[in-house]
């Protein structure tokens, strides 16, 4: 069965530090890959997506992600975290159906 | 830019009652999706509609039903509510049918509490 794994449940970083959130997927083919962010009490906002082509994709708010087929990974990165980045981050996989399969999320806490 | 609108934002119901959640997609979007996010859980796909027809179905209980109307808004009807139905319910919309390559834009969600 298809699955998405986010190994880190909770990450704490200092403001200005770099960030990497991990995501691994299990699927027979290359799926469509997404990162969403959820602030407290808010909906899910799309940060970036990967469909094909360049394996390094740029998103909003200074985020980027790199697709590595050999590792079945799609890790999210940001060179310098801001306090406003504190939120829950979800990696999601889409296949040839309507549904997105989400990982369990990583909660990011940012210290000043 | 207009986003996905969900109403109500919060809903409190008693066990065995019914609830109706509404979703208004982004203008010109023809596909809507419903997800359920339990406390501390990831969102789980329930059901989707394209051009007013059910497109895909996930782990939606038989007590739940949904439909998409001619103006493309959608309603999720939940009957015989159980405590375990307490969750955040998201609606998302996309343009030109379903399939994973159509980016889903999410609403802010309806938080349902069953007492």
């Amino acid at each position: 069965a298809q699955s998405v794994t986010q190994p880190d449940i909770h990450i704490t970083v200092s403001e200005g530090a770099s960030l990497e959130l991990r995501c691994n997927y299990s699927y027979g083919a290359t799926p469509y890959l997404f990162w969403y962010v959820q602030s407290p009490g808010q909906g899910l906002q799309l940060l970036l997506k990967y469909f094909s082509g360049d394996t390094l994709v740029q998103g909003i708010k200074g985020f980027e992600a790199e697709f590595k087929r050999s590792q079945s990974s799609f890790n999210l990165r940001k060179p310098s975290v801001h306090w406003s980045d504190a939120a829950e981050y979800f990696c999601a996989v889409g296949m040839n159906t309507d549904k997105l399969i989400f990982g369990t999320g990583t909660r990011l806490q940012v210290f000043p | 830019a207009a986003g996905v609108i969900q109403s109500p934002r919060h809903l409190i119901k008693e066990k065995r009652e019914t609830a109706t959640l509404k979703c208004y997609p982004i203008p010109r979007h023809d596909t809507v999706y419903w997800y359920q996010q339990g406390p501390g859980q990831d969102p789980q796909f329930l059901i989707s509609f394209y051009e007013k027809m059910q497109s895909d179905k996930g782990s939606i209980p038989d007590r739940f039903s949904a439909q998409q109307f001619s103006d493309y808004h959608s309603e999720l009807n939940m009957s015989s509510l159980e405590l375990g139905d307490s969750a955040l319910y998201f609606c998302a919309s996309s343009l030109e049918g379903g399939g994973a390559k159509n980016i889903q834009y999410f609403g802010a969600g309806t938080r349902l509490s069953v007492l």
Side-chain angles (χ1 to χ4, degrees), chain B residues 34-69:
Chain B
W34 287 97
Y35 290 82
Q36 177 192 57
Q37 184 181 30
Q41 304 292 315
D42 54 294
Q44 295 289 320
F45 173 76
L46 293 177
I47 196 167
S48 60
F49 292 86
Y50 167 60
E51 285 290 346
K52 293 149 279 185
M53 299 289 290
Q54 182 180 308
S55 177
D56 197 1
K57 191 173 181 180
S59 51
I60 184 170
D62 292 339
R63 298 178 289 108
F64 294 7
S65 64
Q67 58 182 322
Q68 185 181 31
F69 294 86

mmCIF file of all heavy atoms in Angstrom, chain B residues 34-69:
data_model
loop_
_atom_site.group_PDB
_atom_site.id
_atom_site.type_symbol
_atom_site.label_atom_id
_atom_site.label_comp_id
_atom_site.label_asym_id
_atom_site.label_seq_id
_atom_site.Cartn_x
_atom_site.Cartn_y
_atom_site.Cartn_z
ATOM 1 N N TRP B 34 -13.316 16.059 0.045
ATOM 2 C CA TRP B 34 -13.523 16.158 1.481
ATOM 3 C C TRP B 34 -12.497 15.284 2.200
ATOM 4 O O TRP B 34 -12.252 14.139 1.813
ATOM 5 C CB TRP B 34 -14.930 15.690 1.871
ATOM 6 C CG TRP B 34 -16.020 16.641 1.493
ATOM 7 C CD1 TRP B 34 -16.816 16.601 0.391
ATOM 8 C CD2 TRP B 34 -16.463 17.771 2.262
ATOM 9 N NE1 TRP B 34 -17.717 17.635 0.407
ATOM 10 C CE2 TRP B 34 -17.516 18.371 1.550
ATOM 11 C CE3 TRP B 34 -16.070 18.334 3.483
ATOM 12 C CZ2 TRP B 34 -18.193 19.508 2.010
ATOM 13 C CZ3 TRP B 34 -16.731 19.459 3.936
ATOM 14 C CH2 TRP B 34 -17.783 20.038 3.205
ATOM 15 N N TYR B 35 -11.924 15.854 3.261
ATOM 16 C CA TYR B 35 -10.956 15.150 4.101
ATOM 17 C C TYR B 35 -11.368 15.300 5.558
ATOM 18 O O TYR B 35 -11.959 16.303 5.953
ATOM 19 C CB TYR B 35 -9.548 15.741 3.941
ATOM 20 C CG TYR B 35 -8.891 15.478 2.607
ATOM 21 C CD1 TYR B 35 -9.180 16.270 1.501
ATOM 22 C CD2 TYR B 35 -7.959 14.455 2.451
ATOM 23 C CE1 TYR B 35 -8.565 16.046 0.272
ATOM 24 C CE2 TYR B 35 -7.336 14.226 1.228
ATOM 25 C CZ TYR B 35 -7.650 15.027 0.153
ATOM 26 O OH TYR B 35 -7.039 14.802 -1.054
ATOM 27 N N GLN B 36 -10.993 14.313 6.343
ATOM 28 C CA GLN B 36 -11.233 14.337 7.785
ATOM 29 C C GLN B 36 -9.889 14.277 8.501
ATOM 30 O O GLN B 36 -9.065 13.408 8.208
ATOM 31 C CB GLN B 36 -12.090 13.133 8.186
ATOM 32 C CG GLN B 36 -12.351 13.005 9.671
ATOM 33 C CD GLN B 36 -12.946 11.641 10.019
ATOM 34 O OE1 GLN B 36 -12.358 10.604 9.726
ATOM 35 N NE2 GLN B 36 -14.128 11.635 10.612
ATOM 36 N N GLN B 37 -9.675 15.195 9.441
ATOM 37 C CA GLN B 37 -8.437 15.204 10.210
ATOM 38 C C GLN B 37 -8.763 15.085 11.686
ATOM 39 O O GLN B 37 -9.246 16.033 12.319
ATOM 40 C CB GLN B 37 -7.638 16.479 9.944
ATOM 41 C CG GLN B 37 -6.280 16.503 10.648
ATOM 42 C CD GLN B 37 -5.502 17.781 10.393
ATOM 43 O OE1 GLN B 37 -6.079 18.842 10.190
ATOM 44 N NE2 GLN B 37 -4.165 17.695 10.417
ATOM 45 N N GLY B 38 -8.534 13.903 12.241
ATOM 46 C CA GLY B 38 -8.755 13.698 13.667
ATOM 47 C C GLY B 38 -7.686 14.395 14.483
ATOM 48 O O GLY B 38 -6.653 14.801 13.950
ATOM 49 N N PRO B 39 -7.896 14.536 15.777
ATOM 50 C CA PRO B 39 -6.927 15.220 16.647
ATOM 51 C C PRO B 39 -5.541 14.590 16.539
ATOM 52 O O PRO B 39 -5.381 13.385 16.752
ATOM 53 C CB PRO B 39 -7.525 15.024 18.036
ATOM 54 C CG PRO B 39 -8.981 14.802 17.808
ATOM 55 C CD PRO B 39 -9.084 14.076 16.505
ATOM 56 N N GLY B 40 -4.553 15.399 16.200
ATOM 57 C CA GLY B 40 -3.187 14.910 16.082
ATOM 58 C C GLY B 40 -2.950 13.956 14.935
ATOM 59 O O GLY B 40 -1.921 13.286 14.889
ATOM 60 N N GLN B 41 -3.893 13.906 14.003
ATOM 61 C CA GLN B 41 -3.788 12.965 12.875
ATOM 62 C C GLN B 41 -3.524 13.713 11.573
ATOM 63 O O GLN B 41 -3.635 14.931 11.497
ATOM 64 C CB GLN B 41 -5.082 12.171 12.749
ATOM 65 C CG GLN B 41 -5.487 11.428 14.004
ATOM 66 C CD GLN B 41 -4.542 10.292 14.312
ATOM 67 O OE1 GLN B 41 -4.173 9.525 13.435
ATOM 68 N NE2 GLN B 41 -4.117 10.202 15.566
ATOM 69 N N ASP B 42 -3.189 12.948 10.548
ATOM 70 C CA ASP B 42 -3.068 13.536 9.220
ATOM 71 C C ASP B 42 -4.440 13.505 8.543
ATOM 72 O O ASP B 42 -5.294 12.693 8.892
ATOM 73 C CB ASP B 42 -2.049 12.768 8.392
ATOM 74 C CG ASP B 42 -2.344 11.284 8.339
ATOM 75 O OD1 ASP B 42 -2.257 10.636 9.411
ATOM 76 O OD2 ASP B 42 -2.689 10.795 7.243
ATOM 77 N N PRO B 43 -4.667 14.370 7.594
ATOM 78 C CA PRO B 43 -5.946 14.375 6.892
ATOM 79 C C PRO B 43 -6.168 13.063 6.119
ATOM 80 O O PRO B 43 -5.263 12.568 5.460
ATOM 81 C CB PRO B 43 -5.812 15.557 5.930
ATOM 82 C CG PRO B 43 -4.744 16.423 6.524
ATOM 83 C CD PRO B 43 -3.794 15.472 7.168
ATOM 84 N N GLN B 44 -7.381 12.542 6.218
ATOM 85 C CA GLN B 44 -7.760 11.318 5.522
ATOM 86 C C GLN B 44 -8.830 11.650 4.489
ATOM 87 O O GLN B 44 -9.835 12.287 4.805
ATOM 88 C CB GLN B 44 -8.305 10.292 6.528
ATOM 89 C CG GLN B 44 -7.266 9.812 7.539
ATOM 90 C CD GLN B 44 -6.218 8.917 6.938
ATOM 91 O OE1 GLN B 44 -6.510 8.064 6.102
ATOM 92 N NE2 GLN B 44 -4.974 9.120 7.346
ATOM 93 N N PHE B 45 -8.618 11.164 3.274
ATOM 94 C CA PHE B 45 -9.545 11.424 2.177
ATOM 95 C C PHE B 45 -10.869 10.710 2.415
ATOM 96 O O PHE B 45 -10.908 9.520 2.758
ATOM 97 C CB PHE B 45 -8.913 10.955 0.874
ATOM 98 C CG PHE B 45 -9.813 11.015 -0.321
ATOM 99 C CD1 PHE B 45 -10.098 12.233 -0.935
ATOM 100 C CD2 PHE B 45 -10.386 9.872 -0.846
ATOM 101 C CE1 PHE B 45 -10.925 12.290 -2.043
ATOM 102 C CE2 PHE B 45 -11.200 9.917 -1.947
ATOM 103 C CZ PHE B 45 -11.476 11.130 -2.559
ATOM 104 N N LEU B 46 -11.965 11.440 2.205
ATOM 105 C CA LEU B 46 -13.301 10.858 2.356
ATOM 106 C C LEU B 46 -13.944 10.592 1.003
ATOM 107 O O LEU B 46 -14.344 9.471 0.689
ATOM 108 C CB LEU B 46 -14.195 11.789 3.176
ATOM 109 C CG LEU B 46 -13.843 11.982 4.644
ATOM 110 C CD1 LEU B 46 -14.803 12.988 5.282
ATOM 111 C CD2 LEU B 46 -13.874 10.662 5.396
ATOM 112 N N ILE B 47 -14.078 11.652 0.199
ATOM 113 C CA ILE B 47 -14.832 11.518 -1.037
ATOM 114 C C ILE B 47 -14.535 12.726 -1.922
ATOM 115 O O ILE B 47 -14.113 13.771 -1.425
ATOM 116 C CB ILE B 47 -16.339 11.397 -0.734
ATOM 117 C CG1 ILE B 47 -17.127 10.862 -1.930
ATOM 118 C CG2 ILE B 47 -16.901 12.719 -0.222
ATOM 119 C CD1 ILE B 47 -18.558 10.438 -1.566
ATOM 120 N N SER B 48 -14.777 12.567 -3.224
ATOM 121 C CA SER B 48 -14.579 13.683 -4.144
ATOM 122 C C SER B 48 -15.656 13.670 -5.210
ATOM 123 O O SER B 48 -16.268 12.626 -5.493
ATOM 124 C CB SER B 48 -13.193 13.617 -4.793
ATOM 125 O OG SER B 48 -13.031 12.412 -5.529
ATOM 126 N N PHE B 49 -15.887 14.841 -5.796
ATOM 127 C CA PHE B 49 -16.893 15.012 -6.835
ATOM 128 C C PHE B 49 -16.311 15.834 -7.978
ATOM 129 O O PHE B 49 -15.596 16.814 -7.749
ATOM 130 C CB PHE B 49 -18.130 15.730 -6.287
ATOM 131 C CG PHE B 49 -18.906 14.919 -5.312
ATOM 132 C CD1 PHE B 49 -18.562 14.926 -3.974
ATOM 133 C CD2 PHE B 49 -19.963 14.123 -5.730
ATOM 134 C CE1 PHE B 49 -19.272 14.156 -3.061
ATOM 135 C CE2 PHE B 49 -20.673 13.358 -4.830
ATOM 136 C CZ PHE B 49 -20.335 13.372 -3.482
ATOM 137 N N TYR B 50 -16.669 15.412 -9.174
ATOM 138 C CA TYR B 50 -16.285 16.148 -10.377
ATOM 139 C C TYR B 50 -17.539 16.355 -11.205
ATOM 140 O O TYR B 50 -18.239 15.377 -11.522
ATOM 141 C CB TYR B 50 -15.229 15.386 -11.172
ATOM 142 C CG TYR B 50 -14.992 15.911 -12.561
ATOM 143 C CD1 TYR B 50 -14.565 17.226 -12.762
ATOM 144 C CD2 TYR B 50 -15.194 15.106 -13.676
ATOM 145 C CE1 TYR B 50 -14.360 17.714 -14.037
ATOM 146 C CE2 TYR B 50 -14.979 15.587 -14.954
ATOM 147 C CZ TYR B 50 -14.561 16.886 -15.130
ATOM 148 O OH TYR B 50 -14.354 17.381 -16.396
ATOM 149 N N GLU B 51 -17.819 17.597 -11.541
ATOM 150 C CA GLU B 51 -19.000 17.910 -12.340
ATOM 151 C C GLU B 51 -20.253 17.230 -11.777
ATOM 152 O O GLU B 51 -21.031 16.610 -12.520
ATOM 153 C CB GLU B 51 -18.786 17.514 -13.800
ATOM 154 C CG GLU B 51 -17.871 18.445 -14.567
ATOM 155 C CD GLU B 51 -18.509 19.805 -14.816
ATOM 156 O OE1 GLU B 51 -19.752 19.956 -14.636
ATOM 157 O OE2 GLU B 51 -17.781 20.750 -15.183
ATOM 158 N N LYS B 52 -20.396 17.316 -10.487
ATOM 159 C CA LYS B 52 -21.586 16.883 -9.759
ATOM 160 C C LYS B 52 -21.727 15.363 -9.647
ATOM 161 O O LYS B 52 -22.735 14.867 -9.133
ATOM 162 C CB LYS B 52 -22.871 17.485 -10.363
ATOM 163 C CG LYS B 52 -22.965 18.993 -10.188
ATOM 164 C CD LYS B 52 -23.720 19.665 -11.302
ATOM 165 C CE LYS B 52 -22.829 19.858 -12.509
ATOM 166 N NZ LYS B 52 -23.477 20.611 -13.603
ATOM 167 N N MET B 53 -20.726 14.638 -10.099
ATOM 168 C CA MET B 53 -20.752 13.185 -9.975
ATOM 169 C C MET B 53 -19.648 12.737 -9.026
ATOM 170 O O MET B 53 -18.554 13.304 -9.012
ATOM 171 C CB MET B 53 -20.524 12.529 -11.350
ATOM 172 C CG MET B 53 -21.575 12.874 -12.389
ATOM 173 S SD MET B 53 -23.166 12.090 -12.038
ATOM 174 C CE MET B 53 -22.753 10.392 -12.393
ATOM 175 N N GLN B 54 -19.928 11.714 -8.243
ATOM 176 C CA GLN B 54 -18.900 11.194 -7.360
ATOM 177 C C GLN B 54 -17.726 10.694 -8.198
ATOM 178 O O GLN B 54 -17.901 9.926 -9.141
ATOM 179 C CB GLN B 54 -19.451 10.052 -6.512
ATOM 180 C CG GLN B 54 -18.444 9.481 -5.533
ATOM 181 C CD GLN B 54 -19.015 8.354 -4.696
ATOM 182 O OE1 GLN B 54 -20.068 8.503 -4.081
ATOM 183 N NE2 GLN B 54 -18.340 7.216 -4.678
ATOM 184 N N SER B 55 -16.530 11.126 -7.819
ATOM 185 C CA SER B 55 -15.355 10.799 -8.593
ATOM 186 C C SER B 55 -14.510 9.719 -7.948
ATOM 187 O O SER B 55 -14.008 8.826 -8.624
ATOM 188 C CB SER B 55 -14.523 12.067 -8.786
ATOM 189 O OG SER B 55 -13.326 11.804 -9.474
ATOM 190 N N ASP B 56 -14.339 9.820 -6.647
ATOM 191 C CA ASP B 56 -13.518 8.860 -5.929
ATOM 192 C C ASP B 56 -14.049 8.773 -4.508
ATOM 193 O O ASP B 56 -14.697 9.689 -4.010
ATOM 194 C CB ASP B 56 -12.044 9.290 -5.939
ATOM 195 C CG ASP B 56 -11.083 8.168 -5.590
ATOM 196 O OD1 ASP B 56 -11.541 7.029 -5.357
ATOM 197 O OD2 ASP B 56 -9.866 8.427 -5.547
ATOM 198 N N LYS B 57 -13.782 7.654 -3.887
ATOM 199 C CA LYS B 57 -14.297 7.433 -2.545
ATOM 200 C C LYS B 57 -13.203 6.836 -1.684
ATOM 201 O O LYS B 57 -12.484 5.929 -2.122
ATOM 202 C CB LYS B 57 -15.504 6.495 -2.607
ATOM 203 C CG LYS B 57 -16.295 6.381 -1.328
ATOM 204 C CD LYS B 57 -17.555 5.551 -1.573
ATOM 205 C CE LYS B 57 -18.385 5.434 -0.319
ATOM 206 N NZ LYS B 57 -19.614 4.621 -0.549
ATOM 207 N N GLY B 58 -13.100 7.372 -0.478
ATOM 208 C CA GLY B 58 -12.112 6.855 0.450
ATOM 209 C C GLY B 58 -12.798 6.194 1.625
ATOM 210 O O GLY B 58 -13.798 5.517 1.484
ATOM 211 N N SER B 59 -12.261 6.450 2.799
ATOM 212 C CA SER B 59 -12.776 5.800 4.004
ATOM 213 C C SER B 59 -13.926 6.580 4.614
ATOM 214 O O SER B 59 -13.868 7.011 5.767
ATOM 215 C CB SER B 59 -11.639 5.638 5.019
ATOM 216 O OG SER B 59 -10.969 6.876 5.199
ATOM 217 N N ILE B 60 -14.968 6.767 3.861
ATOM 218 C CA ILE B 60 -16.128 7.518 4.352
ATOM 219 C C ILE B 60 -17.136 6.554 4.951
ATOM 220 O O ILE B 60 -17.522 5.567 4.322
ATOM 221 C CB ILE B 60 -16.754 8.356 3.216
ATOM 222 C CG1 ILE B 60 -17.903 9.206 3.740
ATOM 223 C CG2 ILE B 60 -17.166 7.485 2.035
ATOM 224 C CD1 ILE B 60 -18.413 10.239 2.745
ATOM 225 N N PRO B 61 -17.549 6.800 6.193
ATOM 226 C CA PRO B 61 -18.535 5.909 6.828
ATOM 227 C C PRO B 61 -19.857 5.940 6.067
ATOM 228 O O PRO B 61 -20.212 6.931 5.428
ATOM 229 C CB PRO B 61 -18.693 6.502 8.239
ATOM 230 C CG PRO B 61 -17.496 7.367 8.443
ATOM 231 C CD PRO B 61 -17.108 7.866 7.099
ATOM 232 N N ASP B 62 -20.605 4.846 6.184
ATOM 233 C CA ASP B 62 -21.915 4.776 5.531
ATOM 234 C C ASP B 62 -22.885 5.819 6.102
ATOM 235 O O ASP B 62 -23.866 6.179 5.442
ATOM 236 C CB ASP B 62 -22.505 3.375 5.694
ATOM 237 C CG ASP B 62 -21.722 2.337 4.911
ATOM 238 O OD1 ASP B 62 -21.002 2.731 3.969
ATOM 239 O OD2 ASP B 62 -21.827 1.146 5.246
ATOM 240 N N ARG B 63 -22.618 6.288 7.304
ATOM 241 C CA ARG B 63 -23.487 7.299 7.928
ATOM 242 C C ARG B 63 -23.303 8.679 7.287
ATOM 243 O O ARG B 63 -24.073 9.594 7.548
ATOM 244 C CB ARG B 63 -23.158 7.405 9.424
ATOM 245 C CG ARG B 63 -23.382 6.132 10.214
ATOM 246 C CD ARG B 63 -22.977 6.319 11.662
ATOM 247 N NE ARG B 63 -21.532 6.412 11.820
ATOM 248 C CZ ARG B 63 -20.892 7.531 12.124
ATOM 249 N NH1 ARG B 63 -21.553 8.673 12.284
ATOM 250 N NH2 ARG B 63 -19.565 7.542 12.268
ATOM 251 N N PHE B 64 -22.260 8.803 6.492
ATOM 252 C CA PHE B 64 -21.977 10.078 5.834
ATOM 253 C C PHE B 64 -22.413 10.001 4.371
ATOM 254 O O PHE B 64 -22.266 8.953 3.719
ATOM 255 C CB PHE B 64 -20.488 10.394 5.878
ATOM 256 C CG PHE B 64 -19.910 10.651 7.243
ATOM 257 C CD1 PHE B 64 -20.644 10.462 8.401
ATOM 258 C CD2 PHE B 64 -18.603 11.093 7.364
ATOM 259 C CE1 PHE B 64 -20.106 10.701 9.656
ATOM 260 C CE2 PHE B 64 -18.040 11.331 8.609
ATOM 261 C CZ PHE B 64 -18.790 11.131 9.747
ATOM 262 N N SER B 65 -22.889 11.102 3.871
ATOM 263 C CA SER B 65 -23.163 11.200 2.443
ATOM 264 C C SER B 65 -22.769 12.595 1.986
ATOM 265 O O SER B 65 -22.662 13.521 2.795
ATOM 266 C CB SER B 65 -24.634 10.934 2.138
ATOM 267 O OG SER B 65 -25.452 11.935 2.732
ATOM 268 N N ALA B 66 -22.546 12.736 0.712
ATOM 269 C CA ALA B 66 -22.152 14.032 0.189
ATOM 270 C C ALA B 66 -22.671 14.182 -1.220
ATOM 271 O O ALA B 66 -23.008 13.196 -1.890
ATOM 272 C CB ALA B 66 -20.625 14.180 0.211
ATOM 273 N N GLN B 67 -22.759 15.421 -1.644
ATOM 274 C CA GLN B 67 -23.142 15.682 -3.024
ATOM 275 C C GLN B 67 -22.574 17.017 -3.454
ATOM 276 O O GLN B 67 -22.211 17.864 -2.626
ATOM 277 C CB GLN B 67 -24.666 15.662 -3.177
ATOM 278 C CG GLN B 67 -25.422 16.644 -2.329
ATOM 279 C CD GLN B 67 -26.929 16.517 -2.525
ATOM 280 O OE1 GLN B 67 -27.403 16.294 -3.642
ATOM 281 N NE2 GLN B 67 -27.699 16.646 -1.460
ATOM 282 N N GLN B 68 -22.524 17.180 -4.766
ATOM 283 C CA GLN B 68 -22.102 18.443 -5.353
ATOM 284 C C GLN B 68 -23.259 18.987 -6.163
ATOM 285 O O GLN B 68 -23.888 18.260 -6.939
ATOM 286 C CB GLN B 68 -20.871 18.251 -6.243
ATOM 287 C CG GLN B 68 -20.308 19.559 -6.797
ATOM 288 C CD GLN B 68 -19.099 19.350 -7.699
ATOM 289 O OE1 GLN B 68 -18.976 18.336 -8.378
ATOM 290 N NE2 GLN B 68 -18.206 20.319 -7.730
ATOM 291 N N PHE B 69 -23.532 20.236 -6.004
ATOM 292 C CA PHE B 69 -24.702 20.854 -6.624
ATOM 293 C C PHE B 69 -24.337 21.543 -7.935
ATOM 294 O O PHE B 69 -23.162 21.622 -8.311
ATOM 295 C CB PHE B 69 -25.320 21.847 -5.637
ATOM 296 C CG PHE B 69 -25.883 21.182 -4.407
ATOM 297 C CD1 PHE B 69 -25.073 20.909 -3.312
ATOM 298 C CD2 PHE B 69 -27.212 20.800 -4.353
ATOM 299 C CE1 PHE B 69 -25.577 20.284 -2.183
ATOM 300 C CE2 PHE B 69 -27.738 20.178 -3.226
ATOM 301 C CZ PHE B 69 -26.915 19.913 -2.147
#
